[in-house]
Amino acid sequence: MKELEVCPSVSCTTFISTPAAGISEAAAVVEIVEADGWRDPPWRASLGAESRHRKYRQVVDRWHVDFADLTGGHGLLGQVEGRVSTVVAAWLTAQPTTWRGAITHMAIDMCAIFRSAIRAALPHARIVVDHFHLVQLVKARLAELRRRLTWKMRGRRGRKGDPEYDHRRLLRAAAEELTDQRRTVLERDLTRIGTYGRHILAGWHAKEKLRDLLALARTHPARSQISHRLHAFYAWCADHAYLPELVTLAATVEAWQSEIEAFLSHRDHQRQEGGDQPSHQARSPRRVRLSQPCQPTPLVTLRNHARQQKPSHPCSISKTSNVWPSTD
């Protein structure tokens, strides 16, 4: 629904009003189900503006939870309004017993509400957390570290001309995607800043050590491999315990360690997430999304594609081509 830009209140009302919205006894077996919660903007969840005071009354909950099939290709299975454990557990328990018994794994983000609801409704199912949410979390912690140290060092927000601000895209990039020259420039410029720059660089190394752990997905790792890389990540965060962002990150990973290990060791879920890819491509985070209608390629994508395939001389470009980047 996020890709289709459909209002959750509209989609939820459609599911409720449809007679066959529930899962029937003859429904196909679903082994892996994803529960994903997302929030709608306030203006979509509010209706009934008063003409005098221009105030809006909230008629639906801003949070909605989607249930999707990750292996069978059945797409969206259901949607509920609200993001509380009782609502999620009620939807799961309302489904047929045979359908619930066939579920072996539940894929969620790092939300304690989902975990408690699944443990109550599906005690036999194993909970997994994929690397999409972990990579998103570690990048957010690294950005928080950079902003905090920039404000502490300069007394203002980062802006153009500050090395840590100019290299913010390199800090978010994966290590294997950086050339040797770019990595050298990143480490050199951050080291020249001083102590705060080395702290930011330590946060970047923590991100890469966590990504080293997630790189074991789809490789059928042994338990010893997972433990070794987990220890390397925890040891790095412990050595830099003076950085609260790394402490918070390590505590979150520790709280969800069993769910992360379940994702790394489960083969079917990894195959659906990214397919059989070589090990050097396994670190790119991918997330299964619902199918969406074909849309025209954005002009920005076309321009970037044309820029990457830039010919040796501008005269070789066709006059009818409309994808060549502007020279403004």
Side-chain angles (χ1 to χ4, degrees), residues 81-124:
E81 180 182 343
R83 193 169 181 256
V84 293
S85 59
T86 54
V87 173
V88 177
W91 187 90
L92 292 173
T93 54
Q95 309 312 317
T97 306
T98 55
W99 184 85
R100 288 187 284 112
I103 298 177
T104 59
H105 292 76
M106 286 289 299
I108 63 173
D109 55 7
M110 289 172 288
C111 177
I113 296 175
F114 293 159
R115 181 166 58 181
S116 61
I118 294 172
R119 287 177 177 176
L122 301 174
H124 64 280

mmCIF file of all heavy atoms in Angstrom, residues 81-124:
data_model
loop_
_atom_site.group_PDB
_atom_site.id
_atom_site.type_symbol
_atom_site.label_atom_id
_atom_site.label_comp_id
_atom_site.label_asym_id
_atom_site.label_seq_id
_atom_site.Cartn_x
_atom_site.Cartn_y
_atom_site.Cartn_z
ATOM 1 N N GLU A 81 -6.430 -1.918 11.705
ATOM 2 C CA GLU A 81 -6.212 -0.537 12.133
ATOM 3 C C GLU A 81 -5.700 -0.521 13.562
ATOM 4 O O GLU A 81 -6.229 -1.199 14.440
ATOM 5 C CB GLU A 81 -7.523 0.243 12.042
ATOM 6 C CG GLU A 81 -7.407 1.698 12.459
ATOM 7 C CD GLU A 81 -8.741 2.406 12.397
ATOM 8 O OE1 GLU A 81 -9.649 1.869 11.728
ATOM 9 O OE2 GLU A 81 -8.882 3.482 13.011
ATOM 10 N N GLY A 82 -4.647 0.236 13.792
ATOM 11 C CA GLY A 82 -4.048 0.298 15.114
ATOM 12 C C GLY A 82 -2.759 -0.498 15.178
ATOM 13 O O GLY A 82 -2.556 -1.470 14.431
ATOM 14 N N ARG A 83 -1.897 -0.090 16.081
ATOM 15 C CA ARG A 83 -0.594 -0.749 16.227
ATOM 16 C C ARG A 83 -0.390 -1.137 17.692
ATOM 17 O O ARG A 83 0.538 -0.679 18.367
ATOM 18 C CB ARG A 83 0.521 0.188 15.759
ATOM 19 C CG ARG A 83 1.884 -0.490 15.563
ATOM 20 C CD ARG A 83 2.805 0.481 14.855
ATOM 21 N NE ARG A 83 4.122 -0.100 14.609
ATOM 22 C CZ ARG A 83 5.212 0.192 15.305
ATOM 23 N NH1 ARG A 83 5.138 1.056 16.307
ATOM 24 N NH2 ARG A 83 6.373 -0.337 15.015
ATOM 25 N N VAL A 84 -1.266 -1.988 18.177
ATOM 26 C CA VAL A 84 -1.190 -2.504 19.533
ATOM 27 C C VAL A 84 -1.198 -4.029 19.457
ATOM 28 O O VAL A 84 -1.689 -4.621 18.489
ATOM 29 C CB VAL A 84 -2.357 -1.991 20.405
ATOM 30 C CG1 VAL A 84 -2.239 -0.492 20.624
ATOM 31 C CG2 VAL A 84 -3.692 -2.324 19.771
ATOM 32 N N SER A 85 -0.664 -4.643 20.491
ATOM 33 C CA SER A 85 -0.524 -6.098 20.472
ATOM 34 C C SER A 85 -1.874 -6.813 20.456
ATOM 35 O O SER A 85 -2.016 -7.871 19.839
ATOM 36 C CB SER A 85 0.292 -6.547 21.682
ATOM 37 O OG SER A 85 -0.342 -6.145 22.877
ATOM 38 N N THR A 86 -2.880 -6.253 21.114
ATOM 39 C CA THR A 86 -4.191 -6.905 21.147
ATOM 40 C C THR A 86 -4.825 -6.958 19.762
ATOM 41 O O THR A 86 -5.464 -7.952 19.402
ATOM 42 C CB THR A 86 -5.112 -6.169 22.117
ATOM 43 O OG1 THR A 86 -5.166 -4.773 21.760
ATOM 44 C CG2 THR A 86 -4.598 -6.288 23.550
ATOM 45 N N VAL A 87 -4.651 -5.907 18.981
ATOM 46 C CA VAL A 87 -5.225 -5.879 17.628
ATOM 47 C C VAL A 87 -4.529 -6.905 16.730
ATOM 48 O O VAL A 87 -5.175 -7.650 15.982
ATOM 49 C CB VAL A 87 -5.126 -4.463 17.040
ATOM 50 C CG1 VAL A 87 -5.567 -4.455 15.582
ATOM 51 C CG2 VAL A 87 -5.965 -3.492 17.847
ATOM 52 N N VAL A 88 -3.201 -6.950 16.795
ATOM 53 C CA VAL A 88 -2.457 -7.903 15.969
ATOM 54 C C VAL A 88 -2.781 -9.336 16.379
ATOM 55 O O VAL A 88 -3.008 -10.212 15.530
ATOM 56 C CB VAL A 88 -0.947 -7.623 16.078
ATOM 57 C CG1 VAL A 88 -0.153 -8.643 15.277
ATOM 58 C CG2 VAL A 88 -0.632 -6.214 15.595
ATOM 59 N N ALA A 89 -2.818 -9.594 17.680
ATOM 60 C CA ALA A 89 -3.132 -10.942 18.149
ATOM 61 C C ALA A 89 -4.561 -11.337 17.798
ATOM 62 O O ALA A 89 -4.832 -12.508 17.485
ATOM 63 C CB ALA A 89 -2.912 -11.029 19.658
ATOM 64 N N ALA A 90 -5.495 -10.383 17.835
ATOM 65 C CA ALA A 90 -6.888 -10.691 17.504
ATOM 66 C C ALA A 90 -7.030 -11.097 16.040
ATOM 67 O O ALA A 90 -7.797 -12.011 15.712
ATOM 68 C CB ALA A 90 -7.774 -9.486 17.812
ATOM 69 N N TRP A 91 -6.309 -10.429 15.145
ATOM 70 C CA TRP A 91 -6.401 -10.800 13.725
ATOM 71 C C TRP A 91 -5.825 -12.191 13.499
ATOM 72 O O TRP A 91 -6.372 -12.980 12.720
ATOM 73 C CB TRP A 91 -5.664 -9.784 12.863
ATOM 74 C CG TRP A 91 -5.852 -10.012 11.397
ATOM 75 C CD1 TRP A 91 -6.830 -9.495 10.594
ATOM 76 C CD2 TRP A 91 -5.041 -10.847 10.545
ATOM 77 N NE1 TRP A 91 -6.683 -9.948 9.305
ATOM 78 C CE2 TRP A 91 -5.596 -10.786 9.245
ATOM 79 C CE3 TRP A 91 -3.925 -11.635 10.748
ATOM 80 C CZ2 TRP A 91 -5.052 -11.469 8.176
ATOM 81 C CZ3 TRP A 91 -3.381 -12.329 9.678
ATOM 82 C CH2 TRP A 91 -3.944 -12.245 8.411
ATOM 83 N N LEU A 92 -4.727 -12.507 14.156
ATOM 84 C CA LEU A 92 -4.111 -13.815 13.960
ATOM 85 C C LEU A 92 -4.981 -14.932 14.523
ATOM 86 O O LEU A 92 -5.160 -15.975 13.887
ATOM 87 C CB LEU A 92 -2.729 -13.836 14.613
ATOM 88 C CG LEU A 92 -1.662 -12.955 13.957
ATOM 89 C CD1 LEU A 92 -0.393 -12.932 14.793
ATOM 90 C CD2 LEU A 92 -1.355 -13.418 12.537
ATOM 91 N N THR A 93 -5.537 -14.727 15.695
ATOM 92 C CA THR A 93 -6.375 -15.768 16.303
ATOM 93 C C THR A 93 -7.707 -15.937 15.589
ATOM 94 O O THR A 93 -8.344 -16.998 15.706
ATOM 95 C CB THR A 93 -6.630 -15.434 17.776
ATOM 96 O OG1 THR A 93 -7.182 -14.101 17.883
ATOM 97 C CG2 THR A 93 -5.341 -15.500 18.585
ATOM 98 N N ALA A 94 -8.138 -14.924 14.842
ATOM 99 C CA ALA A 94 -9.406 -15.023 14.113
ATOM 100 C C ALA A 94 -9.295 -15.870 12.850
ATOM 101 O O ALA A 94 -10.317 -16.221 12.253
ATOM 102 C CB ALA A 94 -9.918 -13.629 13.758
ATOM 103 N N GLN A 95 -8.087 -16.192 12.425
ATOM 104 C CA GLN A 95 -7.902 -16.975 11.211
ATOM 105 C C GLN A 95 -8.104 -18.459 11.508
ATOM 106 O O GLN A 95 -8.056 -18.886 12.663
ATOM 107 C CB GLN A 95 -6.512 -16.722 10.626
ATOM 108 C CG GLN A 95 -6.173 -15.256 10.446
ATOM 109 C CD GLN A 95 -7.273 -14.484 9.749
ATOM 110 O OE1 GLN A 95 -7.850 -14.963 8.761
ATOM 111 N NE2 GLN A 95 -7.573 -13.285 10.245
ATOM 112 N N PRO A 96 -8.336 -19.273 10.469
ATOM 113 C CA PRO A 96 -8.550 -20.712 10.685
ATOM 114 C C PRO A 96 -7.381 -21.375 11.390
ATOM 115 O O PRO A 96 -6.219 -20.983 11.224
ATOM 116 C CB PRO A 96 -8.725 -21.250 9.255
ATOM 117 C CG PRO A 96 -9.170 -20.077 8.452
ATOM 118 C CD PRO A 96 -8.513 -18.884 9.050
ATOM 119 N N THR A 97 -7.688 -22.377 12.160
ATOM 120 C CA THR A 97 -6.657 -23.066 12.935
ATOM 121 C C THR A 97 -5.644 -23.763 12.040
ATOM 122 O O THR A 97 -4.436 -23.747 12.313
ATOM 123 C CB THR A 97 -7.314 -24.091 13.873
ATOM 124 O OG1 THR A 97 -8.305 -23.438 14.673
ATOM 125 C CG2 THR A 97 -6.278 -24.726 14.783
ATOM 126 N N THR A 98 -6.124 -24.366 10.961
ATOM 127 C CA THR A 98 -5.207 -25.056 10.050
ATOM 128 C C THR A 98 -4.256 -24.075 9.382
ATOM 129 O O THR A 98 -3.081 -24.382 9.155
ATOM 130 C CB THR A 98 -6.003 -25.814 8.989
ATOM 131 O OG1 THR A 98 -6.904 -24.902 8.309
ATOM 132 C CG2 THR A 98 -6.832 -26.917 9.629
ATOM 133 N N TRP A 99 -4.767 -22.895 9.054
ATOM 134 C CA TRP A 99 -3.914 -21.881 8.415
ATOM 135 C C TRP A 99 -2.863 -21.377 9.387
ATOM 136 O O TRP A 99 -1.699 -21.209 9.034
ATOM 137 C CB TRP A 99 -4.787 -20.729 7.912
ATOM 138 C CG TRP A 99 -4.019 -19.690 7.151
ATOM 139 C CD1 TRP A 99 -3.699 -19.702 5.832
ATOM 140 C CD2 TRP A 99 -3.483 -18.475 7.683
ATOM 141 N NE1 TRP A 99 -3.008 -18.571 5.499
ATOM 142 C CE2 TRP A 99 -2.856 -17.795 6.622
ATOM 143 C CE3 TRP A 99 -3.485 -17.883 8.947
ATOM 144 C CZ2 TRP A 99 -2.228 -16.567 6.782
ATOM 145 C CZ3 TRP A 99 -2.856 -16.671 9.114
ATOM 146 C CH2 TRP A 99 -2.236 -16.011 8.048
ATOM 147 N N ARG A 100 -3.254 -21.144 10.636
ATOM 148 C CA ARG A 100 -2.292 -20.684 11.629
ATOM 149 C C ARG A 100 -1.270 -21.752 11.957
ATOM 150 O O ARG A 100 -0.103 -21.450 12.235
ATOM 151 C CB ARG A 100 -3.032 -20.244 12.897
ATOM 152 C CG ARG A 100 -3.792 -18.942 12.729
ATOM 153 C CD ARG A 100 -4.370 -18.441 14.038
ATOM 154 N NE ARG A 100 -5.558 -19.182 14.443
ATOM 155 C CZ ARG A 100 -5.625 -19.979 15.495
ATOM 156 N NH1 ARG A 100 -4.561 -20.138 16.273
ATOM 157 N NH2 ARG A 100 -6.736 -20.628 15.788
ATOM 158 N N GLY A 101 -1.687 -23.002 11.938
ATOM 159 C CA GLY A 101 -0.745 -24.067 12.250
ATOM 160 C C GLY A 101 0.314 -24.277 11.193
ATOM 161 O O GLY A 101 1.384 -24.831 11.482
ATOM 162 N N ALA A 102 0.031 -23.853 9.949
ATOM 163 C CA ALA A 102 1.012 -24.028 8.871
ATOM 164 C C ALA A 102 2.094 -22.964 8.880
ATOM 165 O O ALA A 102 3.110 -23.113 8.199
ATOM 166 C CB ALA A 102 0.292 -24.022 7.519
ATOM 167 N N ILE A 103 1.902 -21.885 9.615
ATOM 168 C CA ILE A 103 2.886 -20.801 9.653
ATOM 169 C C ILE A 103 4.079 -21.248 10.482
ATOM 170 O O ILE A 103 3.939 -21.659 11.638
ATOM 171 C CB ILE A 103 2.273 -19.519 10.238
ATOM 172 C CG1 ILE A 103 1.124 -19.023 9.358
ATOM 173 C CG2 ILE A 103 3.322 -18.431 10.385
ATOM 174 C CD1 ILE A 103 0.423 -17.803 9.908
ATOM 175 N N THR A 104 5.247 -21.164 9.891
ATOM 176 C CA THR A 104 6.478 -21.546 10.585
ATOM 177 C C THR A 104 7.297 -20.343 11.032
ATOM 178 O O THR A 104 8.008 -20.420 12.037
ATOM 179 C CB THR A 104 7.339 -22.428 9.676
ATOM 180 O OG1 THR A 104 7.663 -21.707 8.464
ATOM 181 C CG2 THR A 104 6.601 -23.707 9.314
ATOM 182 N N HIS A 105 7.226 -19.234 10.289
ATOM 183 C CA HIS A 105 8.024 -18.058 10.615
ATOM 184 C C HIS A 105 7.178 -16.801 10.424
ATOM 185 O O HIS A 105 6.322 -16.751 9.529
ATOM 186 C CB HIS A 105 9.277 -17.954 9.734
ATOM 187 C CG HIS A 105 10.283 -19.028 9.995
ATOM 188 N ND1 HIS A 105 10.132 -20.321 9.546
ATOM 189 C CD2 HIS A 105 11.472 -19.003 10.671
ATOM 190 C CE1 HIS A 105 11.172 -21.042 9.919
ATOM 191 N NE2 HIS A 105 12.005 -20.267 10.605
ATOM 192 N N MET A 106 7.453 -15.810 11.259
ATOM 193 C CA MET A 106 6.831 -14.492 11.148
ATOM 194 C C MET A 106 7.940 -13.455 11.032
ATOM 195 O O MET A 106 8.812 -13.358 11.906
ATOM 196 C CB MET A 106 5.966 -14.188 12.364
ATOM 197 C CG MET A 106 4.662 -14.944 12.413
ATOM 198 S SD MET A 106 3.441 -14.384 11.187
ATOM 199 C CE MET A 106 3.195 -12.678 11.663
ATOM 200 N N ALA A 107 7.933 -12.705 9.941
ATOM 201 C CA ALA A 107 8.936 -11.663 9.705
ATOM 202 C C ALA A 107 8.375 -10.319 10.155
ATOM 203 O O ALA A 107 7.299 -9.909 9.711
ATOM 204 C CB ALA A 107 9.314 -11.611 8.224
ATOM 205 N N ILE A 108 9.096 -9.645 11.030
ATOM 206 C CA ILE A 108 8.645 -8.369 11.574
ATOM 207 C C ILE A 108 9.819 -7.410 11.618
ATOM 208 O O ILE A 108 10.986 -7.792 11.432
ATOM 209 C CB ILE A 108 8.054 -8.529 12.990
ATOM 210 C CG1 ILE A 108 9.125 -9.043 13.965
ATOM 211 C CG2 ILE A 108 6.862 -9.470 12.979
ATOM 212 C CD1 ILE A 108 8.684 -9.082 15.402
ATOM 213 N N ASP A 109 9.503 -6.136 11.867
ATOM 214 C CA ASP A 109 10.553 -5.191 12.191
ATOM 215 C C ASP A 109 10.813 -5.266 13.697
ATOM 216 O O ASP A 109 10.166 -6.021 14.407
ATOM 217 C CB ASP A 109 10.175 -3.772 11.761
ATOM 218 C CG ASP A 109 8.844 -3.328 12.341
ATOM 219 O OD1 ASP A 109 8.283 -4.066 13.175
ATOM 220 O OD2 ASP A 109 8.371 -2.247 11.963
ATOM 221 N N MET A 110 11.754 -4.506 14.175
ATOM 222 C CA MET A 110 12.122 -4.590 15.592
ATOM 223 C C MET A 110 11.117 -3.832 16.445
ATOM 224 O O MET A 110 11.384 -2.743 16.951
ATOM 225 C CB MET A 110 13.541 -4.055 15.780
ATOM 226 C CG MET A 110 14.591 -4.986 15.212
ATOM 227 S SD MET A 110 16.239 -4.287 15.217
ATOM 228 C CE MET A 110 16.065 -3.072 13.923
ATOM 229 N N CYS A 111 9.944 -4.409 16.573
ATOM 230 C CA CYS A 111 8.851 -3.820 17.325
ATOM 231 C C CYS A 111 8.404 -4.832 18.382
ATOM 232 O O CYS A 111 7.989 -5.952 18.052
ATOM 233 C CB CYS A 111 7.688 -3.454 16.401
ATOM 234 S SG CYS A 111 6.252 -2.787 17.247
ATOM 235 N N ALA A 112 8.496 -4.436 19.649
ATOM 236 C CA ALA A 112 8.114 -5.341 20.736
ATOM 237 C C ALA A 112 6.627 -5.655 20.721
ATOM 238 O O ALA A 112 6.207 -6.705 21.226
ATOM 239 C CB ALA A 112 8.514 -4.733 22.081
ATOM 240 N N ILE A 113 5.820 -4.765 20.139
ATOM 241 C CA ILE A 113 4.381 -5.010 20.057
ATOM 242 C C ILE A 113 4.099 -6.234 19.197
ATOM 243 O O ILE A 113 3.309 -7.113 19.573
ATOM 244 C CB ILE A 113 3.669 -3.761 19.500
ATOM 245 C CG1 ILE A 113 3.836 -2.583 20.459
ATOM 246 C CG2 ILE A 113 2.202 -4.045 19.232
ATOM 247 C CD1 ILE A 113 3.261 -1.286 19.939
ATOM 248 N N PHE A 114 4.741 -6.317 18.047
ATOM 249 C CA PHE A 114 4.546 -7.469 17.180
ATOM 250 C C PHE A 114 5.057 -8.744 17.836
ATOM 251 O O PHE A 114 4.429 -9.800 17.729
ATOM 252 C CB PHE A 114 5.261 -7.243 15.848
ATOM 253 C CG PHE A 114 4.665 -6.150 15.011
ATOM 254 C CD1 PHE A 114 5.405 -5.529 14.021
ATOM 255 C CD2 PHE A 114 3.360 -5.731 15.212
ATOM 256 C CE1 PHE A 114 4.853 -4.525 13.242
ATOM 257 C CE2 PHE A 114 2.803 -4.733 14.449
ATOM 258 C CZ PHE A 114 3.545 -4.124 13.455
ATOM 259 N N ARG A 115 6.183 -8.656 18.500
ATOM 260 C CA ARG A 115 6.762 -9.857 19.102
ATOM 261 C C ARG A 115 5.861 -10.432 20.192
ATOM 262 O O ARG A 115 5.648 -11.647 20.242
ATOM 263 C CB ARG A 115 8.154 -9.535 19.663
ATOM 264 C CG ARG A 115 8.847 -10.727 20.283
ATOM 265 C CD ARG A 115 10.321 -10.478 20.505
ATOM 266 N NE ARG A 115 10.559 -9.325 21.365
ATOM 267 C CZ ARG A 115 11.776 -8.888 21.706
ATOM 268 N NH1 ARG A 115 12.843 -9.529 21.250
ATOM 269 N NH2 ARG A 115 11.921 -7.840 22.480
ATOM 270 N N SER A 116 5.336 -9.575 21.044
ATOM 271 C CA SER A 116 4.457 -10.071 22.103
ATOM 272 C C SER A 116 3.156 -10.627 21.541
ATOM 273 O O SER A 116 2.633 -11.635 22.032
ATOM 274 C CB SER A 116 4.158 -8.946 23.092
ATOM 275 O OG SER A 116 3.504 -7.860 22.451
ATOM 276 N N ALA A 117 2.614 -9.991 20.489
ATOM 277 C CA ALA A 117 1.371 -10.482 19.898
ATOM 278 C C ALA A 117 1.569 -11.830 19.222
ATOM 279 O O ALA A 117 0.721 -12.740 19.336
ATOM 280 C CB ALA A 117 0.841 -9.461 18.888
ATOM 281 N N ILE A 118 2.684 -12.004 18.520
ATOM 282 C CA ILE A 118 2.935 -13.273 17.835
ATOM 283 C C ILE A 118 3.191 -14.393 18.841
ATOM 284 O O ILE A 118 2.752 -15.531 18.662
ATOM 285 C CB ILE A 118 4.113 -13.103 16.860
ATOM 286 C CG1 ILE A 118 3.724 -12.130 15.734
ATOM 287 C CG2 ILE A 118 4.537 -14.433 16.272
ATOM 288 C CD1 ILE A 118 4.865 -11.740 14.843
ATOM 289 N N ARG A 119 3.900 -14.074 19.908
ATOM 290 C CA ARG A 119 4.137 -15.108 20.932
ATOM 291 C C ARG A 119 2.838 -15.562 21.591
ATOM 292 O O ARG A 119 2.718 -16.716 21.994
ATOM 293 C CB ARG A 119 5.106 -14.563 21.978
ATOM 294 C CG ARG A 119 6.553 -14.467 21.488
ATOM 295 C CD ARG A 119 7.445 -13.864 22.544
ATOM 296 N NE ARG A 119 8.845 -13.834 22.095
ATOM 297 C CZ ARG A 119 9.842 -13.294 22.791
ATOM 298 N NH1 ARG A 119 9.588 -12.744 23.978
ATOM 299 N NH2 ARG A 119 11.068 -13.304 22.317
ATOM 300 N N ALA A 120 1.871 -14.654 21.680
ATOM 301 C CA ALA A 120 0.594 -15.032 22.289
ATOM 302 C C ALA A 120 -0.307 -15.783 21.322
ATOM 303 O O ALA A 120 -0.984 -16.736 21.712
ATOM 304 C CB ALA A 120 -0.123 -13.777 22.804
ATOM 305 N N ALA A 121 -0.334 -15.374 20.045
ATOM 306 C CA ALA A 121 -1.237 -15.981 19.075
ATOM 307 C C ALA A 121 -0.618 -17.162 18.346
ATOM 308 O O ALA A 121 -1.315 -18.129 18.012
ATOM 309 C CB ALA A 121 -1.699 -14.933 18.060
ATOM 310 N N LEU A 122 0.673 -17.102 18.067
ATOM 311 C CA LEU A 122 1.361 -18.171 17.333
ATOM 312 C C LEU A 122 2.596 -18.598 18.120
ATOM 313 O O LEU A 122 3.731 -18.260 17.751
ATOM 314 C CB LEU A 122 1.755 -17.696 15.929
ATOM 315 C CG LEU A 122 0.628 -17.218 15.011
ATOM 316 C CD1 LEU A 122 1.201 -16.651 13.729
ATOM 317 C CD2 LEU A 122 -0.347 -18.347 14.723
ATOM 318 N N PRO A 123 2.428 -19.307 19.198
ATOM 319 C CA PRO A 123 3.601 -19.679 20.006
ATOM 320 C C PRO A 123 4.552 -20.630 19.297
ATOM 321 O O PRO A 123 5.727 -20.714 19.666
ATOM 322 C CB PRO A 123 2.971 -20.337 21.238
ATOM 323 C CG PRO A 123 1.629 -20.809 20.790
ATOM 324 C CD PRO A 123 1.161 -19.825 19.766
ATOM 325 N N HIS A 124 4.078 -21.341 18.272
ATOM 326 C CA HIS A 124 4.930 -22.288 17.567
ATOM 327 C C HIS A 124 5.755 -21.631 16.470
ATOM 328 O O HIS A 124 6.731 -22.224 15.995
ATOM 329 C CB HIS A 124 4.068 -23.388 16.937
ATOM 330 C CG HIS A 124 3.132 -22.852 15.885
ATOM 331 N ND1 HIS A 124 1.935 -22.235 16.209
ATOM 332 C CD2 HIS A 124 3.221 -22.825 14.523
ATOM 333 C CE1 HIS A 124 1.324 -21.865 15.095
ATOM 334 N NE2 HIS A 124 2.075 -22.207 14.065
#
